Structure formats: C-alpha cells, structure tokens
Amino acid sequence: MKVLKFGGTSVGSVASLNNVKKIVESIPGKAVIVVSALGGLTDKLISTAKMASGGDSEWQNEMEAISKRHFDIIKNVVPEAAQTEVNKTIEALLQELKRNYEGIFLLKSLPEKVLDVIVSFGERMSSVIVAAMVENGKRYYSPEFIKTEKWYGKNIADRKLTDKLIKDTLGNLGENEKAIVPGFISTDTVSGEITNLGRGGSDYTGALIAAALGAEILEIWTDVDGFMTADPRIVDEALIIDHLTFTESMELCTFGAKVIYPPTIYPVFHSNIPIKILNTFNPEAPGTLITDHPQLNDLEVKGVTALKDVALITITLKSYNEIQEPLKRAMNVLSKEAVRIIPVANPDPYSELSFAVTASDARKSMEMLGKEFAPELSSGKITPPLLKENLAAVALVGKDMRNKSRLAARIGHSLRRQGINVEAHSGGNSDTTLIYIINQEKSSEALPLIHSLVFEL
Ligand code: ADP
Ligand code: ASP
Ligand code: MG
C-alpha cells in the first residue's frame, strides 16, 4: 500500500485539486492520502492571529477572505450532492476559528496554545474537502492518532504511541478505500491539547503513517518535478536529481532544501521505505527516488543548498597542548541541551576551536560554554568565546566528499575571488557534505557560483 502526501500548492486551487483527484483515483486498491492546508493558508492563519491579538480589527476581513476561499473551492470541486453536508462542516469549523480570533482580540495576547489551535484549522478544513471530492474517500482525524511529547520545549512525535494508534486506526482499510488524513496536526500525549509537528510537518505525518503501516512507498507530491541540484528559486540552472540515498536527502534537507521537512526521513529510512518526490502539476514526470543504496548512474555530487541563520563560535586556548579535551567538553555540554552543532575544521589545531550552531541556539550556547569553562576563563587559560552571527552554512552533498579536496579547494578559491569570505569550512570531516560558512547575505550569490562550478561543466 502507498502513502501519498499532497502539499499546500497541490491542494491550493480548483485546478490543482482536480489533479489530486485524478492522481488518487487512479491508484488501484487502498491508500492513505495526507493533505496540507490550502496553499498559503497556514501563513494567513498566523498573520490574522497576530492582527487580532494586536487589536487590529482588520482580522475580520481576513477571516471573511478565508471563508470565501474555502466555499469557492467547495462549489467548484465537491460533487453537488455532497456540497450541503461539506458546507455545513466547514461552516462549523470556520465559526470555531472565528471564536478563537474573537478571544485573542479581546485578550490582546496570543498564547502559544491558542495559536496551535488556530493553525490546526487549515488541515482540518482541507481534509474535509479532499475526502468529499475523491471517490471512496473517507476522512480520518489525525490528532486522534498522531501524538506528540515535549522535548526541550519543542513538540516531537511520541513514536511508540503514534505507531500503535496508526495501526489501530488505519491498519484495516476497506479494499478500495482512500483514507484522507490532515497532515501537520497532532495532540499532546499527556494533556490531549492540540499541537503540530512544525512548519512543513505534513511530510512527517506521511512518514509516520508509512512507517507504522509498512507502506511500499511514501510519495511526496509537490509543485516541482523532483528534488533539484539547488533551490530553483535561486539557481535557474538547477537540475532534477533522479536518485538520492536517504543520507544524502537528509543532509540536503537539514541544510535548507525545503522539498522535504527534515524529520520525515528518519522513520522511513529505518523501515527502508522509499520516498518519491513527484509533481502534482506534471504527474508524468519521473520525479526523484530516494532509497538506501546508491544506484549505478548516480551523480557523484547531488546538490548544493544553504542553511541561513547560522552563528560561528570560536574559543582561543592559551595554554593547551591540544584542543581535543576542551572540544569534547564543549560538544558534550551543548548536546545535553539538544543544540544542533555544525562541525567545522579548527582554524588552528593547537590553539583555536570553532563550530557553528543555529542562530536560535547561539545565546544559549554562549551561556553554557561560559559556565562550562568558568574556571579556565577566570584563570585566563582560554579567552571568552567569540560569536559571529548572520552567517549561512552552504552545503555541497554527494558521495565520497572527504576525498574531493581538489574540488573543495577550487570552490574556496572561487568564493574568495568573488569577494565572498569563507569564515570556516568543514575541511573534509564528513563523507557526504562539504560545508562553507559565509556571510548570510552572500548565499544567493554563492549558490549559483558553486552550482556552475560543479554541475554546469
Ligand atoms: P509543499 O507545499 O508541496 O510541501 P514546499 O514549498 O514545502 O512544497 O517545497 C517545495 C518547494 O521547495 C519548491 O517549490 C521549491 O521552490 C523549493 N525548493 C527548495 N530547494 C529545492 C530543491 N533543492 N529542489 C526542489 N525544490 C526546492
Ligand atoms: N500547512 C503546514 C505549513 O504550512 C504544514 C505543511 O504544509 O506541511 O507549514
Ligand atoms: Mg513542504
């Protein structure tokens, strides 16, 4: 059985919804279909919430527009016989959404829990519409079986419980049934309150379901012909990649390629379920296949991408013989707080240690390093950690990257020649990824440059 996930643009208009209908109805037998909110709606729900909580009564017009968009779509895609019922369900959801906006407008504040409820309406509504338009479609409400728990202040999937609940709910579909599931949304295991899996999280809903059911494939239907060698909005010459390994796709996604929400890859990787990236607007295109093994005609280098909002931390050691011991201590203390560390080559292997972190973790990291090295700082054995912000980590992902030192050096030279300073680089410490830490504003210049050096020979 297949699990298919359709993103926002795929369910965002009458024309694209008709494509979704065709694609889903052509699947023989049963399938699970995960849907996002109508394209752009999650952003709209958030901006309207900010308006309302900020006391701007313009939120009412936004609310009107949200309602109109849904009713217009229903009129054009849902079979006439089902329209009254669907309109009634959507109307009830919209009323509930409106009550939430009224509440925060009066309160003049936007508690996180209320925002989580507000953003949940996008997928709650789109799934009702898709279920009504697809033959043999039946809606299943994911907050009943996608469960989250708190982890360092974030909501992460409660895998064990979620796995069991998915099997109980979706394990016995009818012969030709198409189970329509809202992506992104969930509930907290302990409190039962509505939560979500993070922006872009519908991909992850699909992966959790595919893994729990042992699906044959997870198809991610989006608005491009496949995973590309670079973000097509930044690099015009970006090419479609035929095949990627799980590890390569994970590296590309964690370093900023938006095509797949990064946590998506773990569950399917562990269950060895292939992922396919396909285009709802061009279903004939072969797309990109992601599996565990390289294939014969795979490209050596797969793609280049940039992760923005990165900070570089450097500590100078005054009287150490080597950096290993302080480096290990720094890594240990940061990993205890779940800080994501991007390792880079140390500028001076005897007296300087460096690594990058995401900007959101930068302050916390500096505090923790200050505490960890308090004795050494007061005795002057090390200097206070230095923080450099507004950086991007540009990542080039492929096979055997550790042995591509000539390519790595050539890229470094070209960046410098173009006036792009390389603040740090990975220096061959990963088999799959070369990293260049550069000024964030230069990343849209660096990507086409690196792309032309590697892919446009
Ligand atoms: P969906 O709404 O279907 O989840 P997303 O917007 O999350 O779609 O992801 C698809 C978009 O990701 C594409 O439209 C494209 O602009 C962008 N993108 C960024 N990097 C890449 C890449 N390397 N390959 C393909 N698309 C990319
Ligand atoms: N609708 C949610 C978002 O825009 C989830 C998703 O589309 O995957 O982030
Ligand atoms: Mg997405």
Side-chain angles (χ1 to χ4, degrees):
M1 193 194 56
K2 290 197 217 180
V3 175
L4 293 83
K5 176 261 171 177
F6 290 91
T9 39
S10 302
V11 296
S13 67
V14 172
S16 64
L17 278 163
N18 282 327
N19 289 356
V20 171
K21 180 175 161 70
K22 251 189 247 155
I23 294 163
V24 173
E25 289 178 356
S26 71
I27 305 166
K30 56 189 166 188
V32 178
I33 318 298
V34 176
V35 293
S36 288
L38 306 193
L41 194 79
T42 309
D43 285 337
K44 183 62 93 190
L45 290 168
I46 295 170
S47 59
T48 307
K50 288 187 177 153
M51 257 180 208
S53 62
D56 182 350
S57 42
E58 182 64 18
W59 73 265
Q60 292 177 1
N61 293 333
E62 297 289 315
M63 179 70 223
E64 272 304 304
I66 292 171
S67 303
K68 184 172 181 316
R69 183 169 175 206
H70 283 83
F71 289 126
D72 281 351
I73 289 224
I74 294 167
K75 203 164 102 200
N76 287 293
V77 297
V78 173
E80 240 181 281
Q83 281 192 13
T84 314
E85 190 63 32
V86 174
N87 279 334
K88 221 170 90 190
T89 311
I90 297 293
E91 181 59 41
L93 288 168
L94 287 165
Q95 285 304 326
E96 206 183 323
L97 171 62
K98 197 171 170 195
R99 280 197 294 278
N100 277 281
Y101 282 138
E102 281 163 352
I104 55 171
F105 182 65
L106 289 175
L107 214 65
K108 301 281 178 290
S109 83
L110 180 52
E112 205 184 307
K113 283 180 185 175
V114 180
L115 184 63
D116 282 350
V117 171
I118 288 173
V119 292
S120 76
F121 283 93
E123 273 75 6
R124 285 162 82 180
M125 293 193 284
S126 64
S127 53
V128 170
I129 299 174
V130 175
M133 67 181 285
V134 162
E135 214 172 291
N136 297 317
K138 181 172 170 204
R139 179 178 182 255
Y140 290 82
Y141 188 53
S142 48
E144 286 168 0
F145 53 88
I146 306 288
K147 293 285 180 178
T148 60
E149 52 192 350
K150 280 267 181 260
W151 188 74
Y152 293 100
K154 278 191 256 176
N155 295 315
I156 60 154
D158 178 345
R159 281 296 306 278
K160 213 167 151 202
L161 180 59
T162 299
D163 254 33
K164 181 192 174 302
L165 294 174
I166 292 172
K167 283 189 193 121
D168 291 349
T169 317
L170 301 170
N172 255 321
L173 300 183
E175 208 179 324
N176 286 313
E177 190 176 334
K178 307 291 186 276
I180 313 294
V181 175
F184 177 58
I185 53 178
S186 44
T187 46
D188 184 89
T189 299
V190 180
S191 67
E193 283 168 331
I194 199 108
T195 56
N196 61 64
L197 302 172
R199 294 303 306 272
S202 297
D203 297 337
Y204 193 28
T205 309
L208 292 169
I209 295 174
L213 300 180
E216 71 194 71
I217 194 162
L218 169 63
E219 293 183 354
I220 296 191
W221 289 82
T222 183
D223 58 357
V224 280
D225 276 351
F227 213 124
M228 299 170 93
T229 48
D231 185 338
R233 295 165 299 182
I234 301 174
V235 179
D236 291 339
E237 289 75 17
L239 309 161
I240 305 292
I241 308 166
D242 296 335
H243 176 262
L244 284 168
T245 63
F246 286 121
T247 314
E248 289 163 345
S249 66
M250 191 123 68
E251 286 291 281
L252 285 167
C253 293
T254 51
F255 280 103
K258 200 192 167 203
V259 211
I260 311 177
Y261 182 50
T264 305
I265 300 163
Y266 296 96
V268 284
F269 187 2
H270 286 298
S271 310
N272 202 8
I273 295 167
I275 306 177
K276 206 157 196 194
I277 311 293
L278 293 155
N279 190 351
T280 306
F281 303 86
N282 184 18
E284 309 304 322
T288 301
L289 180 67
I290 305 173
T291 63
D292 62 339
H293 273 84
Q295 292 191 347
L296 261 178
N297 42 3
D298 268 6
L299 294 170
E300 277 274 309
V301 182
K302 297 298 175 23
V304 61
T305 179
L307 179 70
K308 290 199 173 171
D309 295 321
V310 162
L312 189 67
I313 296 177
T314 305
I315 304 176
T316 304
L317 314 171
K318 293 283 193 194
S319 50
Y320 277 88
N321 294 329
E322 46 83 38
I323 61 163
Q324 287 319 315
E325 188 261 345
L327 182 60
K328 210 165 136 193
R329 273 170 63 198
M331 298 293 116
N332 271 343
V333 68
L334 296 182
S335 58
K336 268 189 214 141
E337 278 295 314
V339 170
R340 176 180 173 198
I341 297 162
I342 302 167
V344 296
N346 291 298
D348 177 335
Y350 299 103
S351 68
E352 252 180 30
L353 64 91
S354 259
F355 47 86
V357 296
T358 52
S360 55
D361 283 336
R363 201 155 299 226
K364 178 165 80 175
S365 304
M366 292 294 277
E367 272 169 30
M368 294 178 65
L369 291 168
K371 272 192 207 145
E372 172 67 23
F373 291 105
E376 288 85 352
L377 281 165
S378 65
S379 72
K381 220 174 158 191
I382 68 170
T383 59
L386 272 180
L387 181 70
K388 202 161 197 179
E389 293 179 281
N390 299 321
L391 302 174
V394 173
L396 187 67
V397 174
K399 212 170 93 185
D400 255 347
M401 298 310 270
R402 208 187 291 274
N403 295 321
K404 295 202 169 35
S405 49
R406 274 183 44 205
L407 176 67
R410 202 151 60 88
I411 292 172
H413 282 141
S414 302
L415 288 170
R416 283 183 199 104
R417 230 184 12 239
Q418 186 92 353
I420 303 173
N421 189 34
V422 178
E423 303 283 347
H425 58 83
S426 52
N429 63 18
S430 152
D431 246 358
T432 41
T433 313
L434 295 177
I435 292 165
Y436 300 88
I437 308 284
I438 61 165
N439 182 331
Q440 171 155 290
E441 272 150 36
K442 297 278 184 183
S443 68
S444 47
E445 245 178 85
L447 287 177
L449 175 69
I450 299 177
H451 194 272
S452 70
L453 283 173
V454 180
F455 299 101
E456 300 162 38
L457 302 172

